[in-house]
Amino acid sequence: MARKLIVGNWKMNGSLAMNAELLEGIKAGLARVDCDLAICAPFPYLAQCQQALEGTGVALGAEDVSAHAVGAYTGQVSTRMLLDFDCKYVIVGHSERREYCNESDELVANKVQRALAGGLTPIVCVGESLKEKDAGQTEAVVSRQINTVLSVLEEREVCDIVVAYEPVWAIGTGKTPTPEMVKDVHALLRELMIRKNPDAAECVRILYGGSMKPSNAEEFLKMRDIDGGLIGGAALKASDFLKIAYLASR
Ligand code: 13P
């Protein structure tokens, strides 16, 4: 994949005023960006982001989506609703949802299916916890997570997803795996996708996420197997988010 993808995941942060400043700051630095850029924002702010990002080339995404199409699911948000705000992406299976909302591999797979059926590009998150890493289970965990998603996809649909490898122990901690460790996990994920669809060698972007910031982004982004980043904390500061985007633009 020649062109890298940098995605900001705002998580449960922001306010109308804070977002306005952040969005203006990002827009002011876009001229030098030569990678794909997206912002995944909390549902209440999608309208604000849609308006601010119109015509900028920065894509919009949500942080979650319902596995259901429509109906009596209080508090849930459908793909249709996200399309009303020109969302292109939706994060599915983030470890914070797996952990705090008890999302199972099967539910994540259903959400991926629903996102694809609704015309959205799911950013499918996988990654091991610290306990799993220390027990040497990284490969087994990410394989189980991605295989459950692949098991519900048609062969052609494999090319319509983005995958993000986010080791849970690296999220918000300042700790990161080495680029070599990430490269190995990405190679495994790609191999599993290739088994389902040989085109996955080229068509699927695999992002790294977990404490990526301007000071360490280059070592990850220069690796051939790392097709971009899913950025949490550093996406909340325009200058940091832009610096990562510039590093991905080389
Ligand atoms: P941090 O960049 O804050 O570690 O968060 C990563 C993440 O979870 C993105 O989805």
Side-chain angles (χ1 to χ4, degrees):
M1 268 274 168
R3 210 172 153 80
K4 306 247 187 214
L5 170 63
I6 299 295
V7 181
N9 173 11
W10 287 3
K11 308 193 179 186
M12 200 174 73
N13 293 292
S15 66
L16 284 174
M18 279 171 59
N19 305 344
E21 198 181 318
L22 178 54
L23 289 162
E24 279 316 304
I26 292 169
K27 279 176 12 177
L30 287 179
R32 279 171 54 203
V33 173
D34 190 17
C35 66
D36 291 335
L37 207 56
I39 287 171
C40 292
F43 297 133
Y45 299 130
L46 290 175
Q48 179 189 24
C49 292
Q50 178 194 22
Q51 213 176 14
L53 297 175
E54 200 186 344
T56 62
V58 180
L60 184 58
E63 300 177 14
D64 181 39
V65 69
S66 175
H68 304 284
V70 65
Y73 300 100
T74 302
Q76 298 196 30
V77 169
S78 70
T79 55
R80 276 273 183 85
M81 297 172 187
L82 298 183
L83 290 180
D84 271 345
F85 297 95
D86 288 337
C87 283
K88 176 175 163 66
Y89 296 101
V90 61
I91 296 172
V92 178
H94 193 282
S95 62
E96 288 150 15
R97 293 204 60 86
R98 290 181 189 261
E99 186 178 348
Y100 307 136
C101 305
N102 290 319
E103 292 201 2
S104 65
D105 292 335
E106 289 70 27
L107 178 61
V108 171
N110 290 342
K111 288 185 172 192
V112 170
Q113 251 182 329
R114 180 62 64 191
L116 288 169
L120 293 160
T121 299
I123 301 173
V124 184
C125 299
V126 298
E128 81 286 2
S129 67
L130 183 60
K131 206 167 139 214
E132 290 163 339
K133 175 178 91 84
D134 289 346
Q137 294 171 341
T138 298
E139 284 80 9
V141 169
V142 300
S143 299
R144 189 200 73 225
Q145 290 172 329
I146 197 71
N147 280 334
T148 309
V149 170
L150 291 173
S151 71
V152 302
L153 298 187
E154 303 285 337
E155 181 181 331
R156 61 177 168 75
E157 289 177 318
V158 177
C159 280
D160 298 332
I161 68 172
V162 171
V163 175
Y165 170 51
E166 297 204 308
V168 180
W169 52 273
I171 295 175
T173 59
K175 295 192 192 118
T176 55
T178 63
E180 282 68 30
M181 285 160 74
V182 176
K183 189 184 76 147
D184 288 348
V185 176
H186 282 210
L188 168 65
L189 290 167
R190 199 175 297 280
E191 180 53 38
L192 294 171
M193 287 186 277
I194 286 171
R195 278 187 210 165
K196 180 95 185 191
N197 181 342
D199 292 343
E202 287 300 321
C203 67
V204 178
R205 283 194 279 208
I206 308 180
L207 316 181
Y208 168 72
S211 297
M212 197 190 267
K213 50 189 182 231
S215 59
N216 65 16
E218 186 167 20
E219 53 180 321
F220 292 108
L221 294 171
K222 72 179 182 203
M223 315 272 309
R224 220 188 125 265
D225 289 311
I226 302 179
D227 302 309
L230 182 55
I231 321 295
L236 298 173
K237 202 171 150 199
S239 58
D240 283 356
F241 191 54
L242 284 167
K243 272 183 211 153
I244 296 172
Y246 298 151
L247 291 167
S249 301
R250 288 183 183 164

